[in-house]
Amino acid sequence: MTLLELLLLAVGLSMDAFAVSICKGLAMRRATFRAGMTCGIWFGGFQALMPLIGFFLGTLFADVIRAIDHWVAFVLLGLIGANMLKEGFAKKEEDEADGKGADMSIKTMFVLAVATSIDALAVGISLAMAGNVDIWTAVALIGLFTCFFCTAGVKIGNVFGNRFEDSAQIAGGVILILLGTKILLEHLGYLA
């Protein structure tokens, strides 16, 4: 693969995590660089790790992974989105402290990072089958681009969240559910 193809792959893989980072920013009262980097490191790390794992697994489990990856992403994103909707409709008082409106716990970030990077595992398997790919350059670009986009995504989401505070949490939940549904429909062949 050429460097341009690897760059395009990195940008494409980072978009799901970017959308989730925007949702995180929507739910925050005040997004700091630290909150953005937290998302960036979680998502960038997993987006880099999963293709590396996929590459080394090669074709051993390609059919199994492709058979269920969309269902796993759909369920995880759907559950997290539904929880955001529930919290948004409950209109809880959010703490003014940094990040209190968005759950940045290890458990939540781990689940989101896995959900948004499952497709990257399949990409890693595809890269192994393609051959002649510098996997280390690929995973470095994927991780760096995802980290950058997600860090920016938290701030972007926060700007809009502060302007539309009442419905920001609800919008974030809807986006996650739609993202999970989109992944499922693409893999089932209903969307191109």
Side-chain angles (χ1 to χ4, degrees), residues 41-98:
I41 290 169
W42 271 102
F43 294 134
F46 271 82
Q47 287 288 0
L49 179 65
M50 293 298 236
L52 187 62
I53 292 170
F55 185 83
F56 289 116
L57 287 175
T59 58
L60 292 176
F61 303 106
D63 293 334
V64 173
I65 293 167
R66 286 188 186 128
I68 63 167
D69 66 347
H70 50 284
W71 288 104
V72 173
F74 173 72
V75 169
L76 292 175
L77 291 172
L79 289 172
I80 293 165
N83 187 53
M84 285 180 75
L85 282 173
K86 184 182 95 178
E87 290 174 3
F89 284 121
K91 296 189 187 280
K92 289 182 179 179
E93 279 297 314
E94 292 181 9
D95 199 350
E96 285 292 329
D98 172 32

Side-chain angles (χ1 to χ4, degrees), residues 19-20 22-24 26-27 77 80-81 84-85 167-178:
V20 173
I22 290 173
C23 293
K24 284 289 178 192
L26 283 170
L77 291 172
I80 293 165
M84 285 180 75
L85 282 173
S167 57
Q169 186 102 8
I170 294 167
V174 169
I175 290 169
L176 289 180
I177 291 169
L178 290 175

Side-chain angles (χ1 to χ4, degrees), residues 103-119:
D103 186 359
M104 301 290 281
S105 68
I106 290 173
K107 178 183 170 188
T108 298
M109 294 307 296
F110 177 79
V111 170
L112 286 173
V114 169
T116 58
S117 64
I118 289 174
D119 57 342

